[in-house]
Amino acid sequence: MSGIPDIATDPAGVYHCDMRSRPPARSTSRKPPLRVQVTTLWDYPSQDYGPTHQGLPGYPGATPSYIIWNLLQRYTRPNDLVVDCFCGSGTTLDVARDLKRRALGYDIHPTRQDIFRVDARKLPPELTNKVDLVFIDPPYSTHLDYGPDPRDIGKLSARDGTYYEAMEQVIHEVHRILKPGKVFSLYVSDSYEHGRGFYPLGIELFNRAVRIGFTPVDIISVVRHNKTLQMGNYRKAAEEQNFFLRGFNYLFIFRKS
Ligand SMILES: C[S@@+](CC[C@H](N)C(=O)[O-])C[C@H]1O[C@@H](n2cnc3c(N)ncnc32)[C@H](O)[C@@H]1O
């Protein structure tokens, strides 16, 4: 099972219902044309664009690359500096290179040589006011196991508030490193733990970002195409036990005031 939680086998009996809880389909056929999205509902039924992969195929928490492509097209220019401090399989680095932007990737569990092992709560001091765009797709509380490092924010719970405290520190750091007026984008899903509760991570993190000094630019709803959720035990459990599976992620766009 490659360490990925499954709705039927999670030993804690918790239905995490994370859209990313299985490796995404990496189809190379019939990808739609890649265009700048013009509404606040984004729907691109493929993990990657073009004939190549962005990020590492099969990485369980990968961000769909068209999301990052859209942000960089709209809010950056060639040679601008982009930072992703939850870089995972490196999707942001690959998209930035495709678009001739400079990019720095950090992660507590680096998967490639071009990602530096750095805690997102303590970014390099020399980056203050140097960055043109920050994109992050952080852990959604405890949905996925990314590795053994105890500094992994994916080990912290929204239930006891430790997840929010950690993410607040991250958002402060993002604010410090951005140039004034530049864009911070946060991709996140809410969290539902069956029998325990619903945790509105999106609203909680949005409010914290505004308090820290970011001005909202827009809120995008991103539809995910994970066929697993329409099948078998996921669907059955949601119907019989009267809860909802996650059908969208938030993409928040802010500017540093
Ligand atoms: C959703 S994944 C990122 C996916 C990535 N955008 C991609 O496309 O592959 C979240 C990442 O956050 C990392 N992470 C967790 N806690 C962290 C921390 N304190 N500092 C930096 N990275 C952290 C995990 O190791 C994981 O790789």
Side-chain angles (χ1 to χ4, degrees):
M1 288 299 297
S2 68
I4 297 160
D6 181 87
I7 196 162
T9 58
D10 181 335
V14 172
Y15 300 116
H16 292 288
C17 307
D18 187 337
M19 302 300 291
R20 307 172 308 179
S21 63
R22 285 165 186 268
R26 293 263 178 175
S27 164
T28 50
S29 61
R30 296 176 55 85
K31 288 179 190 168
L34 185 59
R35 298 179 67 187
V36 171
Q37 303 281 321
V38 294
T39 76
T40 53
L41 182 65
W42 291 11
D43 187 0
Y44 183 92
S46 173
Q47 183 70 24
D48 298 302
Y49 56 76
T52 57
H53 290 306
Q54 298 83 43
L56 301 176
Y59 182 80
T63 311
S65 55
Y66 76 95
I67 295 170
I68 302 164
W69 186 92
N70 266 272
L71 293 168
L72 298 198
Q73 285 285 5
R74 274 187 184 267
Y75 300 115
T76 64
R77 296 184 178 159
N79 213 35
D80 274 0
L81 179 60
V82 174
V83 166
D84 183 341
C85 52
F86 294 94
C87 204
S89 68
T91 310
T92 302
L93 300 182
D94 294 339
V95 176
R97 278 173 199 140
D98 282 352
L99 294 176
K100 311 272 184 286
R101 276 63 166 162
R102 293 174 297 138
L104 288 169
Y106 304 113
D107 201 286
I108 216 73
H109 300 110
T111 56
R112 350 192 295 200
Q113 283 190 338
D114 56 355
I115 298 175
F116 301 102
R117 188 185 303 276
V118 166
D119 186 337
R121 286 165 288 191
K122 230 176 168 179
L123 297 175
E126 62 273 19
L127 285 183
T128 301
N129 290 327
K130 292 274 176 8
V131 177
D132 295 291
L133 183 140
V134 175
F135 170 78
I136 61 170
D137 178 5
Y140 308 159
S141 187
T142 52
H143 284 200
L144 288 179
D145 181 4
Y146 293 105
D149 194 308
R151 296 171 295 173
D152 185 345
I153 289 173
K155 300 189 188 309
L156 300 178
S157 168
R159 214 173 332 130
D160 64 11
T162 49
Y163 172 78
Y164 298 127
E165 285 163 24
M167 285 304 300
E168 196 163 323
Q169 290 174 41
V170 173
I171 297 169
H172 271 291
E173 281 294 84
V174 170
H175 194 268
R176 175 178 68 76
I177 67 171
L178 272 173
K179 293 175 183 167
K182 295 294 183 172
V183 163
F184 164 43
S185 184
L186 164 64
Y187 183 63
V188 70
S189 156
D190 293 323
S191 170
Y192 173 78
E193 295 182 4
H194 196 61
R196 291 187 182 159
F198 170 71
Y199 305 99
L201 306 191
I203 288 172
E204 292 283 351
L205 297 185
F206 181 91
N207 285 339
R208 280 166 172 77
V210 171
R211 280 209 299 272
I212 285 167
F214 284 104
T215 302
V217 172
D218 220 320
I219 300 177
I220 314 288
S221 173
V222 180
V223 177
R224 296 296 308 273
H225 290 263
N226 188 335
K227 292 198 174 65
T228 318
L229 292 181
Q230 288 301 319
M231 299 186 302
N233 52 6
Y234 281 91
R235 191 185 175 89
K236 191 161 177 276
E239 278 181 8
E240 288 179 359
Q241 295 169 47
N242 203 15
F243 63 85
F244 292 102
L245 302 164
R246 303 298 97 202
F248 72 95
N249 278 25
Y250 295 99
L251 182 70
F252 296 131
I253 304 172
F254 305 99
R255 270 189 204 282
K256 175 171 170 175
S257 311

